[in-house]
Every structure is written in C-alpha cells, then in structure tokens.
Amino acid sequence: MTNYNERKLETPAQKGRKIEINFGGGSISCDGGILLLNQIDKKLGLTQKISCHLKEYRDPTKVQHSFLQVLRQRVYGIALGYEDLNDYSNLRQDRAFQTSVSKDTVLASSSTLCRFENKAKRSDAVMIHQEMIEQFITSFKSPPKELILDFDATDDLIHGEQVGTIRLKLLKIGVVITRNTRRIRFSLSEHYPLKDLFFSLFEKLQAT
C-alpha cells in the first residue's frame, strides 16, 4: 500500500516560493459538524432508544463495539453522505467520527457494519418506524388540527440542490482535531461563514 504521508507533489512556484502538497497534515476531518448531529441525536434519544431494542447476537467475549456505537457510526455516516460501506475503511480512523460515538480508538470496520445491517429483520424495521413515529408525535406541544402524510418517495428535493442543505451548511465543516488525556479539541475553520448559527444551535441543544 502506498504511504502518501511520505510522498509530496509540487506545483509551479508562486512569487519565488515552492508549493508542496502532501497528506501529512495530521488529524483533519471535513465532517466537523458531526458533533452537532450527535447533540441533536442525544436530545432526541433516537439511536439510544433504537439500540435498546436490538437483540444481541454476538459472542460477548469478542465484542469491541456496542450496538449503540455501531448504529451511530452508520446513521451519522449516512447523514454525512457516506452511504457506501467501503467509505468506512478510512472513516473508522476519523477522530471526528470516533468522538461522536464515544470512542478513542478505531471504529467498526466495513465488514462489521455489513454484518450488522444484514442481521436486521423485518421486526427491527417495524420497531425503528414505530420509534420514529413516536418521535414525530411528541414533537408537537398540542395535537395538530390536520396532518398530511405524503408517501410519494420519488420527489427528491435535495438532488442537484446540495449547496443549500443542512449537510453542507452545518455538517461538512473542515476541522483540526487534537486529543490528549484531558480534552479533545475541535478547531473549526476560522473562515466558516455560519459560525453564529452553529454556536447558537449548539448552545440551544445543550441548554434544553
């Protein structure tokens, strides 16, 4: 396997200075907003409640990743645009993902996630839908006068319009991650244009 940390590229000089490109920048993630996603999930309790209903089928002496951690890894990954399981061969090393599922070490592999999904039964799908319906019902302070249920899944409003979505505005943020025994620091880009919105949402989620 090629070690890209030891390789570098060069482009034509600019104002007498060489421009070098390498992959030795340390722990950097393009998914800095995953912690905001994690805070929303914790407020709703969605993955926590779903994981409690999943039946353990693994040998307890060989378990390295809890169902909750595996579920969050997969759900957060899909929310961030990583539908393909092959993506997790690299994402399992991403410190932003590790922090969001409360781990300091490598996350579940693509094959582990694949087994996790393939073990799901129809009853699991029904349970997840029931939980999401309960989440929807409890989101109202009082019963609405009317509800319109649209089951047409062919209308994809996001397709071709990703620029204005929450995924790109609040989740796909460049971040440098430093980790020691006392704290994990996420340093988001100082030029991020939605800093005020990000901070206000995060503070609201923590306050409630």
Side-chain angles (χ1 to χ4, degrees):
M1 182 181 293
T2 303
N3 186 350
Y4 287 99
N5 290 348
E6 298 178 356
R7 296 183 62 186
K8 65 180 180 180
L9 303 170
E10 291 188 3
T11 68
Q14 187 178 99
K15 294 184 178 180
R17 294 175 294 183
K18 288 184 177 180
I19 300 175
E20 295 182 354
I21 303 169
N22 63 53
F23 286 90
S27 183
I28 302 174
S29 175
C30 64
D31 299 306
I34 194 171
L35 288 188
L36 180 62
L37 185 63
N38 176 248
Q39 289 295 310
I40 295 172
D41 177 34
K42 286 182 176 179
K43 178 176 173 58
L44 295 174
L46 183 59
T47 55
Q48 178 71 53
K49 292 176 181 176
I50 290 175
S51 67
C52 290
H53 292 289
L54 297 175
K55 293 182 179 179
E56 181 62 83
Y57 58 84
R58 302 170 296 178
D59 182 346
T61 63
K62 298 180 180 179
V63 171
Q64 297 182 25
H65 314 283
S66 70
F67 270 167
L68 178 59
Q69 290 170 335
V70 174
L71 180 64
R72 283 179 172 169
Q73 181 183 348
R74 186 62 173 131
V75 170
Y76 296 172
I78 291 174
L80 288 161
Y82 303 111
E83 291 87 359
D84 194 327
L85 285 174
N86 291 327
D87 294 332
Y88 296 87
S89 296
N90 291 320
L91 287 174
R92 64 197 300 243
Q93 306 283 351
D94 190 306
R95 289 189 177 182
F97 268 83
Q98 291 173 359
T99 304
S100 71
V101 300
S102 303
K103 292 206 72 171
D104 291 330
T105 56
V106 66
L107 299 181
S109 65
S110 300
S111 56
T112 298
L113 293 172
C114 183
R115 287 192 296 271
F116 176 72
E117 290 188 352
N118 288 332
K119 283 288 184 179
K121 300 177 181 178
R122 182 181 293 272
S123 58
D124 294 322
V126 172
M127 175 271 294
I128 292 172
H129 280 80
Q130 288 176 335
E131 181 57 43
M132 294 182 72
I133 291 172
E134 288 298 322
Q135 294 268 346
F136 174 72
I137 292 173
T138 56
S139 68
F140 294 95
K141 292 183 178 179
S142 59
K145 294 181 179 180
E146 181 182 27
L147 283 176
I148 299 176
L149 303 180
D150 186 357
F151 293 98
D152 182 4
T154 61
D155 184 18
D156 186 359
L157 299 179
I158 299 299
H159 183 68
E161 301 292 339
Q162 287 88 345
V163 173
T165 63
I166 290 177
R167 178 186 293 175
L168 290 189
K169 284 185 175 181
L170 294 173
L171 302 182
K172 306 297 284 188
I173 311 169
V175 59
V176 176
I177 305 161
T178 53
R179 191 163 61 188
N180 56 42
T181 56
R182 298 188 62 183
R183 63 164 55 97
I184 301 172
R185 176 178 286 116
F186 277 54
S187 301
L188 278 63
S189 171
E190 63 181 283
H191 300 295
Y192 175 52
L194 299 174
K195 290 192 286 286
D196 291 340
L197 177 60
F198 187 93
F199 264 91
S200 64
L201 286 175
F202 211 98
E203 289 174 342
K204 285 180 181 178
L205 288 168
Q206 290 186 315
T208 54

